[in-house]
Amino acid sequence: MSHLLKATSLESQDTLISKQVEGIASYSDFNNQTSDNYTALVQNTNFLRTALLSHPVYTQVNDLVALRVFMESHIFAVWDFMTLVKTLQRRLTCVDIPWIPAKVASSARFINEIVLSEETDEVKPGYYISHFELYLLAMEEVGANCRPMQAFLECLHQGDIAEQALISLPIPATTKQFVLNTLSSVQGSTHEVAATLLFGREDIIPKMFSRLLEQVEQAKGVRCHAFRLYLERHMHLDEESHAPMGKKLLINLCENDVKKWEEAQRMTEQALRSRHTLWDGIEQAIYAAKSNVCFPAASG
């Protein structure tokens, strides 16, 4: 009888171990498949990323006139970045009363970290400022025209919707369309918004800003300490923290759902193409400003 019990016990242990091994193998397969989906998305959109990083606009920002024109449009991309961030914060955390815990703490942590650094970054000991406001300071420093953005914000304060507030602004049509594209993207599913944020901003920004910073630093007679600080902070935070966390968030949201990965790729393509069109418009505006063709240099 004791031999029978011992044999049964051993069989039970073998069964338990076998199930644990199967579970580990299944989890490993799941992770491998998810990683493959992410890698495929990156590879399938790499040509758009390469085209964006080789855009001629970076080399055009080589003097004060060009920098002003660039910033007067790019400030709207700085503003609508927060549309993506705040959309994800509302969906992944609780910002209502009564408060309830987030469904996935790691996702809530990721988006809250971005909000913390974007809205209240400590750019020097004891000094906190949003990256948007830091950018406005940089515009004032170089004499760029802040009035279109200020008018836009005033309309928003008065209760106008962003789409309506954009209409009459004296900014390039490509800049308006970029903002409209961002506003449209947040109507999608959470994984689609996450893909737009990751591949349209967090992943590509360090590489874009690195090229831009290199060009600005080579420009003679351009003093832009605040702009340099803005670029450096984004490059550091996005590359070291936000992009890796954004990757984890997207993988958690899409898992092994083929349809979700296809939708994430579609949104990635849209985001990269939208940015390329924004750069096209800014490049044309820089050329016009330097040629004094219906786009005079900003006076501050």
Side-chain angles (χ1 to χ4, degrees):
M1 184 70 173
S2 61
H3 292 295
L4 180 60
L5 289 174
K6 183 180 291 186
T8 303
S9 176
L10 289 173
E11 287 177 3
S12 299
Q13 290 179 8
D14 289 342
T15 300
L16 178 60
I17 292 173
S18 176
K19 287 182 178 180
Q20 289 174 339
V21 170
E22 288 176 2
I24 292 172
S26 177
Y27 182 74
S28 178
D29 290 342
F30 174 85
N31 280 343
N32 289 337
Q33 182 61 46
T34 303
S35 179
D36 289 345
N37 287 327
Y38 179 87
T39 301
L41 189 160
V42 172
Q43 292 176 343
N44 292 340
T45 57
N46 205 40
F47 72 100
L48 291 170
R49 197 172 294 103
T50 300
L52 186 56
L53 292 175
S54 61
H55 197 286
V57 73
Y58 307 110
T59 60
Q60 297 300 312
V61 185
N62 55 11
D63 59 23
L64 192 57
V65 171
L67 181 58
R68 287 171 174 171
V69 173
F70 178 88
M71 297 181 77
E72 288 161 9
S73 275
H74 186 240
I75 182 62
F76 286 88
V78 177
W79 174 84
D80 78 0
F81 173 88
M82 293 304 297
T83 300
L84 297 168
V85 172
K86 285 298 185 179
T87 296
L88 288 175
Q89 187 183 36
R90 292 175 65 180
R91 295 184 187 182
L92 299 174
T93 73
C94 181
V95 293
D96 297 317
I97 297 174
W99 176 85
I100 55 175
K103 292 182 178 179
V104 182
S106 60
S107 297
R109 173 67 181 229
F110 160 67
I111 200 63
N112 281 335
E113 280 200 11
I114 293 185
V115 171
L116 178 67
S117 60
E118 287 294 330
E119 286 192 324
T120 57
D121 194 14
E122 187 175 13
V123 295
K124 61 182 181 180
Y127 182 68
Y128 302 93
I129 189 172
S130 71
H131 286 177
F132 174 80
E133 291 167 305
L134 178 61
Y135 202 98
L136 284 176
L137 288 178
M139 291 180 69
E140 294 174 1
E141 182 181 38
V142 302
N145 186 3
C146 300
R147 290 189 294 274
M149 175 51 74
Q150 291 168 342
F152 178 67
L153 293 177
E154 182 59 30
C155 288
L156 298 182
H157 280 303
Q158 292 176 0
D160 293 350
I161 61 172
E163 291 86 347
Q164 186 68 29
L166 282 170
I167 293 175
S168 61
L169 296 180
I171 59 176
T174 48
T175 303
K176 294 179 182 179
Q177 189 58 53
F178 181 86
V179 177
L180 292 174
N181 290 345
T182 302
L183 294 173
S184 175
S185 71
V186 298
Q187 303 304 315
S189 300
T190 303
H191 63 277
E192 293 176 311
V193 180
T196 301
L197 176 65
L198 173 59
F199 291 112
R201 310 290 175 119
E202 304 291 15
D203 174 70
I204 196 74
I205 277 178
K207 303 176 186 68
M208 292 192 302
F209 283 6
S210 177
R211 292 212 57 196
L212 191 59
L213 181 60
E214 179 182 345
Q215 192 65 36
V216 169
E217 288 180 337
Q218 292 176 359
K220 295 181 180 180
V222 177
R223 296 176 58 84
C224 51
H225 300 301
F227 186 53
R228 183 177 290 106
L229 175 61
Y230 170 85
L231 295 176
E232 290 174 345
R233 288 299 295 161
H234 257 286
M235 289 164 58
H236 169 71
L237 289 169
D238 293 347
E239 192 166 32
E240 297 295 326
S241 175
H242 295 171
M245 292 181 74
K247 174 183 176 180
K248 292 179 181 178
L249 172 63
L250 185 63
I251 288 175
N252 287 342
L253 291 171
C254 291
E255 297 184 317
N256 282 332
D257 190 319
V258 175
K259 184 173 184 293
K260 286 184 177 181
W261 282 109
E262 290 175 348
E263 292 168 343
Q265 178 173 320
R266 177 175 56 82
M267 296 304 292
T268 298
E269 292 172 353
Q270 288 182 11
L272 293 173
R273 287 195 172 98
S274 181
R275 174 73 68 162
H276 199 286
T277 302
L278 174 66
W279 280 178
D280 287 343
I282 293 177
E283 182 190 13
Q284 293 169 9
I286 289 173
Y287 176 80
K290 291 185 176 183
S291 304
N292 292 319
V293 179
C294 71
F295 203 109
S299 58

